[in-house]
Amino acid sequence: MPRLALLAATALLVPAGAAVGLLLTLGARHPNAASRGEVIDWSSVPRLQTGAPPWPSESGLLSQRLQPSGLDALSMEGTVLHHHEHLDLFVHGRRVTVPAEVGIDERAGFLTELHTHDPSGIIHVESPVQRSFTLGQFFCEWGVKLNTHCLGRHRGELAWWVNGRRMHGNPALLPLRQHQEIVIAAGRPPTTVPASYDFPAGL
């Protein structure tokens, strides 16, 4: 699994203490309602995506979305908490790609605790501390509004499932857990709802 090495060059140019200080700055927490597993304040999320799907990762806006998402800018993937979920999205019965590099800004050299490496739909949860994360935090950093009646620009009641079980309420509040198969459908649902996902070995 690729690792970001934001401070690789910096560490050669500054004293060790300064480099450690910079690492701590990058890992600064953003405590807010989202980080406590509460409802995302979507009005505070900069430049929400309003176009038709598929929606790009918008990595260039990631730094602006850290505060409302309650996520952190990390120099490398955390190892204290490490698990993976799979996300399937459908709009009017058509699958919507979850893009690579949601939660990763390669140009700025940082990533968050929730991110994707490829367009498989696998969400990587990798944190340097033990804490809970919600599906809404992932959608917040992606800039795609998600609640009971909204997926991106789609308005109307959503249908959603976890491990094949029909769920009710706000999907953004779903706590992320190891190997969940999460399905969200806006408009006409898919003919077949996936109940599980074959994760690659090691995930």
Side-chain angles (χ1 to χ4, degrees):
M1 195 66 62
R3 304 283 176 180
L4 290 178
L6 176 64
L7 300 180
T10 306
L12 298 176
L13 301 175
V14 298
V20 169
L22 184 54
L23 269 171
L24 293 175
T25 301
L26 286 167
R29 292 292 306 278
H30 291 286
N32 58 14
S35 66
R36 296 192 299 271
E38 299 173 14
V39 176
I40 297 285
D41 177 8
W42 292 105
S43 66
S44 70
V45 183
R47 296 167 61 181
L48 284 171
Q49 304 206 45
T50 58
W55 299 292
S57 65
E58 293 200 334
S59 296
L61 294 173
L62 183 57
S63 61
Q64 300 176 44
R65 293 173 178 162
L66 291 175
Q67 180 64 36
S69 70
L71 297 172
D72 303 318
L74 306 175
S75 62
M76 62 186 64
E77 293 166 337
T79 58
V80 173
L81 179 68
H82 189 185
H83 55 82
H84 306 86
E85 296 71 42
H86 185 259
L87 175 63
D88 277 309
L89 294 181
F90 297 89
V91 173
H92 299 303
R94 292 190 171 188
R95 186 182 298 274
V96 174
T97 299
V98 179
E101 298 199 340
V102 175
I104 298 177
D105 188 340
E106 290 280 6
R107 179 172 294 184
F110 75 91
L111 79 171
T112 75
E113 299 93 334
L114 310 181
H115 54 270
T116 63
H117 289 289
D118 54 44
S120 66
I122 295 175
I123 300 174
H124 297 251
V125 179
E126 294 163 319
S127 171
V129 297
Q130 286 287 345
R131 56 176 290 203
S132 295
F133 297 95
T134 66
L135 186 61
Q137 290 179 279
F138 176 77
F139 276 81
C140 182
E141 66 178 351
W142 189 10
V144 177
K145 186 176 179 179
L146 176 69
N147 60 32
T148 310
H149 303 282
C150 180
L151 174 62
R153 73 176 189 178
H154 175 84
R155 299 294 185 271
E157 192 77 24
L158 302 184
W160 60 291
W161 298 259
V162 177
N163 300 333
R165 178 185 175 187
R166 179 66 186 269
M167 308 295 287
H168 300 280
N170 188 349
L173 295 176
L174 176 71
L176 296 176
R177 300 287 184 263
Q178 171 75 334
H179 285 184
Q180 289 166 316
E181 165 58 17
I182 304 165
V183 181
I184 300 176
R188 178 171 54 87
T191 304
T192 302
V193 175
S196 62
Y197 181 75
D198 186 15
F199 287 86
L203 292 188

